[in-house]
Amino acid sequence: MAALLSVQHVTKTFQRKYKALNDVCLDVQQGEFVALLGPSGCGKTTLLATLAGFLEPDTGSIFIDGVDVTALPAHKRTLNTVFQSYALFPHMTVLDNVAYGPLRAGIKKAEAHRRALEALDMVGLQDLSGRYPAQMSGGQRQRIALARAIVNRPRLLLLDEPLSALDLKLRKRMQLELKALQEKLGISFIFVTHDQEEAMAMADRIVVMNQGTIEQVGTGDEIYKQPRSRFVADFIGDANLLACEAVDGELRLSCCGMAVGRAARAGQGGVVAMLRPEDIGVSREAAEGSAGVAKVEDVVNIGSHTTVYLDLNGTAIEARRLGANDLDLQKGDAVHVHLPAERVHLVEA
Amino acid sequence: MPARIAVRFVALIALGFLLLPLVVIIGSSMTSTDYLSFPPQGLTLKWYGAVLADNTYMMSFATSTLLAACATALGVLIAIPSALLLARHDFPGKALLAAVWSAPLVLPYLVLGSALLQFTGYLGFAQTFWALLVGHVLIVTPFILKSLSVVLTREHMEFERASADLGASPWTTFRKITLPLMKPGLISGAIFGFITSWINVELSMFNTTAVLNTIPVQLFNYVQYSVDPSIAAVSAITIFISIVVITFVDLLVGLDVFSDKQQRN
Amino acid sequence: MSSRAALILKLAAAPLLFFTVFFLAPLGVVLVSSLMDASTGALSGVNYAKVLLDQYHWDVILTTFRIALFATALCLLVAYPLAWYLVRIVRSELWRRICIIVLIVPLFTSNIVRSFGWMIMLGRNGMVNDFLRGMGLVERPVRFLGAELGILIGLVYILLPFAVLSIGTALSRIDRSLENASKDLGASPAQTFFHITLPLSLPGLASGAIMVFALAASAYVTPALLSGGRVTVLSMLIYQQYSTVFNFNYGGALSIVLLVLTLALVGVANHIGRVKGER
């Protein structure tokens, strides 16, 4: 099945020196929920603007449904955008805002208003159609922006950090609602966010970006368990990145000498062993396969889990246990650390 | 606190200082004597009657108003595309262009006026309405440009993008989104530009003649030879118009220029 | 990119053309004229030599600067408290708006009208002299008209609104939390003002002062009317050359000198304003 959206080798440079997008390639299928994830300045918003048609790429092409739209101006592209600032027209009522798209497409006023009310109903705001955006709360404005974008039934919807202005509880609720809406309508979503929990919660696939390039594309699980680069390992979740040395053709952890694999790629700038905090075991008594004795530097208990900061032979290690501090660990305690070799994932340094 | 009291005192004196000459002119315009006198001796409106009956004054009034209106209209037509260009696009030489377009705000009108006299003289239309119009368009446009650039913020640009995203052609976006949102800035800029043109002396005085004259230049000429209450009456009329227009602008867009909006953000 | 370049060209064409023809070209003509010898028509610096080497001109230029300097200083002295009052002391929005109207109405009244008001008041038998003599402050009427003092008062009046707007804007942009931090650390209100508020308002103050000075140095109507023929400033010389003597070459040189001075001052004012993040 041909991809709904195909981005091929897109590059965009600003003011002749700042490379915002560097040879970006991406395919998005019909009905997919894709998240563009990365820190500020990684290029995700620039990529979105290029897809929407607000920016022209310097090189590369963009295909929607097999049609080359690279040179097509924004108002002729059949996708829609939800802006970070919502961009609701302040001088028009909510209804007129949502009906704007259909009216521009030549649909008669009565029918356009009917469709607008239908879209507002989908986001639960049909009773507020006569008000002005200035009278609405942040969460309501977010939904109006959404209704305005989906009323045209686009095949592809671009969302630029739409939930970043909402407080935590509202945000989590909107995440579920958006996901449900997307599944119900079958629209492909490209969702920009800098919050990796949000990306992991909502997306079918996550595109991790850094400084204009795509570092990795995969499901949340793939990215979490098998990050392909140090950046991804570090950016997604918490990670212990432990230095390795090649000894007799084997890779060993510098902090305790434990073997973690073959030294096959030792020549390429080195390799680092990643272990997630929740995979690391901590115990008071020595146990089979203990990597050594570490000193407890700090203990942070937030109720749902406890993070223990350890010093193992000079190397800082973060371990995490579910639940409260059941071992009653204190600063300065000496504990045994268990580093499971089978959970180690090797990443280029 | 003594400091606060002192500041209050100076401030109120300053406000009185600002009003004083205007009050004196208005008062002098109503004196029944044939010479300027303040406080006025006996109150009468006869000087206003004399002014309104005076053909030269009425012609100058018409010229001033027509000139200001044409200059403002042309200024709007020039300022809108200029403001959009500066707000939307980045290109080499943009800073220079912006500087040139706002330069008339900071250059001495006298220099501009004399330069235009020479230039229009070479082109053969010095001391005509068109020569005056050219200069006035130059000084009115930057006001409108400045007002518009305040409105055309990044947020405004997003509205235009949203409109395009929803399928509106560039012209429709301009008609339905850009223009309506520009209105407050456009109106206040146009009004300030209009007044600037109307009250101008240094630019107009080079290209006026006995027949083609503006009120400020006419007053300037008269005042150097003889002063009588009719001059005060004309001056008072301009003051009244100014008060009405400024109050109108305040009611329309609000002149709370010192509000601590920044603090609330 | 060509479609965008074409669009830019279309948007810029008409305004650019207009400004080039009727703004830059005339100034260019003045510049060229200033470099031409009036009698021979050849390129020469004789006009500038006349301006810069003649004692009379230096006197005029110095007079212009002196008056502008005093006018600026006086202006600022009055404007700062008024600005402070409007920004920090006035609580009622209605009263502030009324005050701002009082500030702006003179600004949009013609220079001639405003100067005329002072002509009425500053005469030998005018209001001000009557008041001074009535209060016993002077015995004989003070000469205001036909003296630098009268021009000074007139200029301060004309420029006060500019100064207040400039300083007021700078004051309204000061981050109050900085002043709160100062008080939290134990500074009295007076100390907070001198160590925190005043220094922070200085860039706006300086930038406004420079603009006021530039306006004062290039003013024509007010000095012309209040000088009584006894004081000459640079702008009056320029006017003479263009309207009575018809020496556009010499007048051009004088104009360019004034122009360059004004541009330099404006450039400095903008730089100060921008460097300190006022914009």
Side-chain angles (χ1 to χ4, degrees):
Chain A
M1 181 176 60
L4 172 64
L5 171 74
S6 180
V7 179
Q8 295 175 5
H9 303 288
V10 162
T11 306
K12 178 76 184 168
T13 310
F14 286 117
Q15 292 173 334
R16 266 171 273 150
K17 31 184 178 139
Y18 176 55
K19 220 170 202 169
L21 293 174
N22 193 355
D23 197 39
V24 169
C25 302
L26 180 65
D27 278 358
V28 174
Q29 307 296 336
Q30 180 65 54
E32 250 199 306
F33 195 126
V34 171
L36 291 184
L37 176 65
S40 312
C42 70
K44 51 196 198 294
T45 301
T46 308
L47 181 58
L48 219 64
T50 314
L51 295 176
F54 306 132
L55 291 173
E56 258 183 77
D58 297 328
T59 65
S61 320
I62 300 172
F63 290 82
I64 297 183
D65 254 338
V67 177
D68 187 343
V69 299
T70 321
L72 203 63
H75 67 279
K76 294 208 179 121
R77 298 199 191 187
T78 56
L79 44 73
N80 281 121
T81 308
V82 177
F83 294 80
Q84 187 171 6
S85 69
Y86 311 141
L88 297 176
F89 306 131
H91 60 302
M92 295 183 184
T93 61
V94 167
L95 184 67
D96 286 332
N97 260 281
V98 181
Y100 190 80
L103 286 172
R104 298 290 84 79
I107 294 176
K108 293 273 180 272
K109 196 157 159 188
E111 173 64 13
H113 280 192
R114 190 197 64 77
R115 292 197 194 183
L117 283 169
E118 195 179 60
L120 283 168
D121 188 46
M122 256 192 266
V123 298
L125 288 177
Q126 67 278 27
D127 293 327
L128 300 173
S129 59
R131 304 262 188 96
Y132 283 85
Q135 300 165 291
M136 310 268 98
S137 72
Q140 289 169 327
R141 283 190 220 157
Q142 204 277 313
R143 292 187 209 202
I144 298 168
L146 190 59
R148 187 176 71 174
I150 63 176
V151 71
N152 309 292
R153 297 308 169 109
R155 300 263 297 271
L156 181 59
L157 189 62
L158 309 175
L159 302 99
D160 191 354
E161 302 207 45
L163 308 180
S164 60
L166 307 175
D167 62 69
L168 191 60
K169 273 211 153 67
L170 186 56
R171 204 156 144 181
K172 289 206 185 285
R173 202 176 67 194
M174 281 307 301
Q175 284 169 7
L176 295 172
E177 284 190 29
L178 269 176
K179 181 77 179 157
L181 195 64
Q182 186 262 341
E183 278 169 7
K184 176 167 153 192
L185 295 172
I187 302 178
S188 300
F189 273 29
I190 298 185
F191 188 98
V192 164
T193 178
H194 63 268
D195 182 342
Q196 36 121 346
E197 278 184 32
E198 193 165 79
M200 307 245 309
M202 302 174 76
D204 298 327
R205 273 195 308 154
I206 301 181
V207 177
V208 183
M209 291 184 72
N210 184 30
Q211 294 183 342
T213 49
I214 293 184
E215 296 261 346
Q216 188 170 357
V217 181
T219 65
D221 214 37
E222 283 164 13
I223 289 179
Y224 190 78
K225 296 216 176 100
Q226 290 150 5
R228 230 177 271 150
S229 71
R230 189 191 180 114
F231 171 80
V232 179
D234 218 359
F235 189 76
I236 310 289
D238 295 307
N240 290 292
L241 298 169
L242 306 169
C244 301
E245 298 164 332
V247 178
D248 298 328
E250 251 196 342
L251 275 171
R252 290 176 178 274
L253 294 176
S254 303
C255 60
C256 61
M258 191 175 92
V260 287
R262 309 252 95 229
R265 298 173 305 153
Q268 292 166 22
V271 154
V272 133
M274 182 197 80
L275 264 176
R276 297 282 181 197
E278 61 268 21
D279 290 332
I280 297 178
V282 171
S283 60
R284 286 207 183 270
E285 307 82 28
E288 175 84 36
S290 162
V293 174
K295 187 173 93 157
V296 175
E297 296 282 343
D298 209 347
V299 181
V300 178
N301 176 0
I302 65 167
S304 55
H305 60 258
T306 304
T307 305
V308 187
Y309 295 87
L310 303 161
D311 181 322
L312 178 66
N313 302 325
T315 303
I317 291 189
E318 205 181 300
R320 189 168 296 159
R321 304 168 65 78
L322 277 178
N325 188 3
D326 54 334
L327 290 182
D328 198 27
L329 296 170
Q330 304 289 335
K331 235 183 276 204
D333 284 358
V335 293
H336 287 266
V337 179
H338 181 65
L339 308 172
E342 70 277 11
R343 301 289 223 160
V344 165
H345 179 76
L346 296 172
V347 173
E348 276 174 30
Chain B
M1 251 199 323
R4 266 173 93 93
I5 296 176
V7 169
R8 266 213 169 96
F9 183 68
V10 173
L12 292 172
I13 299 250
L15 287 170
F17 176 67
L18 285 169
L19 285 175
L20 189 58
L22 307 182
V23 166
V24 167
I25 290 176
I26 295 175
S28 306
S29 69
M30 298 195 277
T31 183
S32 52
T33 57
D34 278 342
Y35 51 88
L36 278 171
S37 159
F38 189 83
Q41 298 169 26
L43 291 176
T44 169
L45 290 178
K46 70 176 180 192
W47 299 108
Y48 290 94
V51 164
L52 291 172
D54 185 326
N55 218 25
T56 352
Y57 272 132
M58 288 297 102
M59 288 251 313
S60 298
F61 192 88
T63 308
S64 286
T65 309
L66 184 64
L67 186 59
C70 293
T72 306
L74 283 174
V76 166
L77 288 177
I78 294 180
I80 291 184
S82 311
L84 288 174
L85 179 69
L86 290 176
R88 282 184 191 159
H89 299 289
D90 260 320
F91 51 90
K94 176 172 160 176
L96 189 62
L97 198 60
V100 168
W101 282 344
S102 16
L105 278 175
V106 294
L107 292 187
Y109 287 158
L110 185 81
V111 170
L112 199 54
S114 49
L116 277 172
L117 172 69
Q118 194 176 359
F119 189 69
T120 56
Y122 286 157
L123 290 182
F125 66 100
Q127 308 203 316
T128 63
F129 183 80
W130 304 108
L132 285 171
L133 185 60
V134 155
H136 281 238
V137 171
L138 283 177
I139 64 173
V140 166
T141 310
F143 271 94
I144 308 177
L145 194 60
K146 198 147 87 138
S147 288
L148 286 181
S149 66
V150 168
V151 171
L152 293 175
T153 56
R154 286 197 62 131
E155 205 194 12
H156 185 100
M157 294 294 113
E158 282 232 312
F159 293 141
E160 295 191 348
R161 279 191 174 182
S163 175
D165 181 75
L166 293 165
S169 70
W171 176 243
T172 310
T173 300
F174 178 74
R175 251 192 327 126
K176 290 206 168 275
I177 307 293
T178 311
L179 212 49
L181 291 175
M182 265 204 262
K183 246 196 325 202
L186 203 58
I187 292 180
S188 66
I191 290 181
F192 286 126
F194 183 94
I195 300 179
T196 303
S197 160
W198 213 96
I199 66 176
N200 184 278
V201 181
E202 300 94 335
L203 198 64
S204 308
M205 65 188 183
F206 289 100
N207 273 311
T208 47
T209 65
V211 198
L212 178 74
N213 214 348
T214 63
I215 291 273
V217 176
Q218 187 169 1
L219 284 178
F220 182 66
N221 291 332
Y222 282 7
V223 136
Q224 294 177 65
Y225 299 110
S226 71
V227 283
D228 66 64
S230 66
I231 297 184
V234 179
S235 304
I237 292 177
T238 68
I239 295 173
F240 292 138
I241 295 178
S242 185
I243 294 175
V244 167
V245 172
I246 298 293
T247 309
F248 172 70
V249 173
D250 177 64
L251 293 172
L252 189 69
V253 261
L255 285 173
D256 207 5
V257 287
F258 298 143
S259 73
D260 283 8
K261 273 195 216 130
Q262 184 227 26
Q263 304 294 337
R264 283 186 241 134
N265 277 349
Chain C
M1 262 314 164
S2 68
S3 64
R4 278 240 297 174
L7 183 64
I8 291 179
L9 221 58
K10 267 188 285 177
L11 276 181
L16 199 54
L17 201 62
F18 184 85
F19 267 78
T20 313
V21 173
F22 290 113
F23 179 54
L24 296 175
L27 291 179
V29 166
V30 169
L31 182 62
V32 169
S33 295
S34 73
L35 292 169
M36 279 169 45
D37 189 327
S39 36
T40 65
L43 278 178
S44 100
V46 67
N47 299 306
Y48 287 102
K50 201 159 149 201
V51 174
L52 300 170
L53 298 178
D54 190 309
Q55 181 59 37
Y56 172 63
H57 295 108
W58 276 113
D59 284 343
V60 169
I61 290 177
L62 276 158
T63 304
T64 310
F65 274 33
R66 183 175 54 244
I67 295 178
L69 198 63
F70 280 120
T72 306
L74 272 174
C75 219
L76 294 178
L77 228 53
V78 178
Y80 203 106
L82 181 52
W84 185 273
Y85 176 72
L86 290 176
V87 176
R88 292 297 184 89
I89 295 184
V90 175
R91 282 285 146 245
S92 152
E93 198 199 303
L94 178 64
W95 175 239
R96 191 188 302 123
R97 278 164 72 182
I98 291 177
C99 289
I100 291 180
I101 291 181
V102 170
L103 191 66
I104 294 193
V105 165
L107 191 58
F108 285 100
T109 306
S110 187
N111 279 349
I112 160 70
V113 168
R114 291 189 272 176
S115 306
F116 176 59
W118 285 107
M119 281 173 79
I120 301 176
M121 290 196 291
L122 294 176
R124 295 191 74 227
N125 299 312
M127 247 179 71
V128 177
N129 268 320
D130 283 351
F131 176 76
L132 290 176
R133 286 161 77 187
M135 295 285 283
L137 292 171
V138 297
E139 280 179 8
R140 293 178 306 148
V142 177
R143 173 179 282 287
F144 290 106
L145 299 179
E148 289 186 20
L149 189 54
I151 300 179
L152 195 62
I153 296 175
L155 281 179
V156 169
Y157 182 73
I158 302 275
L159 299 172
L160 190 59
F162 285 111
V164 174
L165 286 173
S166 189
I167 298 175
T169 308
L171 282 177
S172 68
R173 289 201 187 139
I174 292 179
D175 188 350
R176 299 291 211 106
S177 64
L178 295 174
E179 294 178 2
N180 290 338
S182 165
K183 290 182 194 158
D184 182 70
L185 292 165
S188 71
Q191 287 172 324
T192 301
F193 175 75
F194 282 110
H195 291 285
I196 307 294
T197 315
L198 186 59
L200 285 177
S201 70
L202 235 36
L205 188 63
S207 159
I210 292 176
M211 290 293 306
V212 166
F213 183 86
L215 285 167
S218 59
Y220 172 69
V221 172
T222 307
L225 289 181
L226 298 176
S227 68
R230 297 162 77 120
V231 183
T232 310
V233 296
L234 187 54
S235 56
M236 289 163 70
L237 271 188
I238 296 176
Y239 179 71
Q240 249 170 29
Q241 294 303 313
Y242 275 96
S243 68
T244 5
V245 181
F246 293 117
N247 186 340
F248 290 2
N249 307 85
Y250 180 49
L254 288 168
S255 292
I256 297 289
V257 166
L258 183 58
L259 197 59
V260 167
L261 173 75
T262 311
L263 280 176
L265 287 171
V266 168
V268 171
N270 277 345
H271 184 70
I272 294 181
R274 203 179 306 136
V275 159
K276 294 291 181 155
E278 192 191 49
R279 291 205 309 157

